[in-house]
Amino acid sequence: MTTPTNPDARHVLVINAGSSSIKYQLLDVTSGVTQAKGLIERIGEGHGGHAAHTVNGVTHEIDHSAMNHREAFEILRAAFAEHGPDLAQVQLEGVGHRIVHGGTFFDGPALITGGVAEQIRGLIPLAPLHNPHNLTGIRVMQQLFPDLPHVAVFDTAFHTTIPAPAHTYAVPEYWRTEHAVRRYGAHGTSHAYVARRTAELVGRPLDELRIIVLHLGNGASACAVQGGRSVETSMGMTPAEGLVMGTRAGDMDPTLAAHLFRSAGLGVEAYDREVNHASGLLGLCGTNDFREVTERRAAGDADATLAFDVTAHRLRKYVGAYTAVMEGVDVIAFTAGIGEHSPELREAVLARLGHLGVEFDADANESLRGEGPITTSGSKVAAWVVPTNEELEIARQTLAVVDAG
Ligand code: ADP
């Protein structure tokens, strides 16, 4: 493990500030090693708050009563001071902030100035649940670390290369011009990291490859990456479109809303809640934990089997569509909780893609732990499991901005 005394080490602190929780990681970008990471949960509840700070594989549990993000970030600073590493000694080079929505303004990471913060604020209508908390994280961390460069890394930035035919919805003009209705995508930091890592793993230049990245976590999205650029992605105006997810429906008939308003008496808020939080795997079989879905399916449970099959069907459909979009595919990469850990779902997606040139390797798929190929060495289209590392990607992008001055 790299130590703070390694002369080549370059440290970045990555912050992911949500409404009631803050995640952070201290990384050495040179080695890619995480020096420390932590989570501060239940901010604002006044009591029963919990935080965990992990250094060298040892997790320090911390009780707290932080009422706001300012107090929560004080806990972060105290955790580093008490359990290490000493932030002054590691010579932090910058702070990278994960920002959920950069709209069409940000096609890459940005040094946070007053103007940039204002633009992020202007995008709150597009990400009302995320951007306000991301901004609070920026403000407080800038107060705590005023001498460091702070960099915004946007989830949407990687997708700004998607061409108009792929990002445009066929809807009335004023929807598109006055209400910013278009596809923005999400998970861009993960798709960017996985695409780059996939090229390294297959030993070919990224700009020659057509890659389909399947990021399958609680939220899930597919991305077609051609020559290192996102050309199509499954999430849309919001992260609700596309694949079947833990609690989100993904693709469905857009007039379902009107139908349910009329026939079930649902209101706008209830509809929004149910389509985002009561649908997907949860709506189909009562759990959004894919491990449980898989276990119940193996035991013959009909609802879990249907949930699994709908998920796999949707994925196969997207793989086919993105192969058409890129006029072929070279590599299919699976990542995030389900992509990395469910050989069952990977098999359900890949085993019947022989017509595309995918020669699935069932044994490799079953025995794989971590990173590796799950197609035969002669397969025309390769499939790999490539664990994502969004924090490292944020840290790298942060350092790139710092280095550019
Ligand atoms: P998030 O989007 O919240 O970051 P993750 O990437 O951690 O989500 O993925 C969470 C999903 O991964 C859950 O559905 C979980 O059940 C699933 N998962 C984690 N481990 C396994 C496993 N060993 N087998 C199948 N699914 C798993």
Side-chain angles (χ1 to χ4, degrees):
M1 179 167 178
T2 306
T3 68
T5 51
N6 174 353
D8 297 328
R10 302 194 66 192
H11 290 98
V12 171
L13 182 61
V14 173
I15 299 292
N16 182 355
S19 60
S20 65
S21 73
I22 294 167
K23 291 186 198 148
Y24 60 90
Q25 265 194 40
L26 174 69
L27 293 112
D28 167 18
V29 177
T30 309
S31 64
V33 168
T34 298
Q35 304 270 344
K37 64 179 178 182
L39 168 69
I40 304 165
E41 291 177 299
R42 303 181 67 182
I43 301 164
E45 294 184 15
H47 57 87
H50 169 260
H53 181 80
T54 303
V55 198
N56 293 330
V58 179
T59 299
H60 304 273
E61 309 284 347
I62 302 160
D63 294 330
H64 73 80
S65 54
M67 279 305 289
N68 54 42
H69 284 61
R70 160 123 217 147
E71 291 174 13
F73 279 115
E74 290 289 359
I75 290 161
L76 173 153
R77 194 153 70 164
F80 275 103
E82 187 170 343
H83 305 292
D86 181 333
L87 287 178
Q89 212 193 335
V90 298
Q91 293 179 333
L92 267 185
E93 297 202 41
V95 181
H97 295 264
R98 176 189 181 217
I99 311 295
V100 164
H101 220 303
T104 51
F105 293 125
F106 297 102
D107 59 5
L111 185 69
I112 301 170
T113 57
V116 166
E118 267 318 298
Q119 280 177 301
I120 297 173
R121 191 178 317 284
L123 291 163
I124 286 177
L126 293 179
L129 302 181
H130 295 99
N131 274 26
H133 309 294
N134 299 161
L135 272 170
T136 307
I138 290 171
R139 183 171 46 78
V140 177
M141 285 299 283
Q142 281 182 326
Q143 287 165 359
L144 290 179
F145 298 92
D147 299 328
L148 289 175
H150 291 253
V151 175
V153 179
F154 300 91
D155 259 10
T156 46
F158 187 58
H159 299 304
T160 53
T161 50
I162 294 178
H167 75 60
T168 305
Y169 292 119
V171 294
E173 192 197 359
Y174 80 96
W175 290 28
R176 290 176 276 129
T177 52
E178 291 169 36
H179 300 281
V181 168
R182 54 162 277 171
R183 169 173 288 116
Y184 296 97
H187 288 149
T189 311
S190 174
H191 289 302
Y193 173 87
V194 172
R196 177 157 49 165
R197 180 72 189 138
T198 300
E200 283 171 12
L201 289 168
V202 300
R204 288 179 57 190
L206 182 56
D207 57 14
E208 283 177 10
L209 287 171
R210 295 160 299 182
I211 305 172
I212 298 174
V213 181
L214 302 175
H215 176 115
L216 311 178
N218 231 331
S221 69
C223 184
V225 184
Q226 186 162 18
R229 294 155 70 88
S230 171
V231 294
E232 175 61 285
T233 197
S234 59
M235 282 177 167
M237 170 94 184
T238 76
E241 191 179 342
L243 304 175
V244 176
M245 311 187 210
T247 64
R248 284 171 247 163
D251 294 338
M252 35 177 223
D253 184 334
T255 63
L256 275 185
H259 171 69
L260 286 157
F261 291 168
R262 293 188 200 107
S263 67
L266 274 189
V268 174
E269 296 308 324
Y271 179 81
D272 202 29
R273 192 172 57 245
E274 293 188 10
V275 95
N276 278 294
H277 301 294
S279 299
L281 296 172
L282 183 66
L284 289 172
C285 72
T287 178
N288 61 332
D289 182 339
F290 204 75
R291 274 167 296 212
E292 196 182 323
V293 176
T294 314
E295 282 160 19
R296 278 172 45 193
R297 170 178 175 260
D301 180 298
D303 290 343
T305 301
L306 180 65
F308 183 98
D309 291 346
V310 175
T311 303
H313 172 81
R314 186 85 51 90
L315 280 163
R316 272 202 309 275
K317 196 162 88 171
Y318 269 88
V319 169
Y322 288 2
T323 302
V325 165
M326 296 190 286
E327 300 180 48
V329 57
D330 301 301
V331 196
I332 301 169
F334 288 82
T335 197
I338 299 170
E340 291 167 31
H341 300 294
S342 177
E344 295 88 349
L345 186 65
R346 295 194 303 252
E347 174 163 7
V349 175
L350 295 175
R352 285 157 50 202
L353 291 182
H355 60 97
L356 290 183
V358 177
E359 220 171 87
F360 181 63
D361 184 338
D363 292 339
N365 180 53
E366 200 56 49
S367 59
L368 183 70
R369 299 287 173 273
E371 204 168 66
I374 49 176
T375 39
T376 63
S377 55
S379 184
K380 189 165 135 296
V381 177
W384 281 70
V385 175
V386 182
T388 192
N389 192 340
E390 288 167 281
E391 289 77 13
L392 179 56
E393 182 66 26
I394 292 171
R396 279 178 181 160
Q397 293 191 25
T398 299
L399 207 50
V401 170
V402 171
D403 285 345

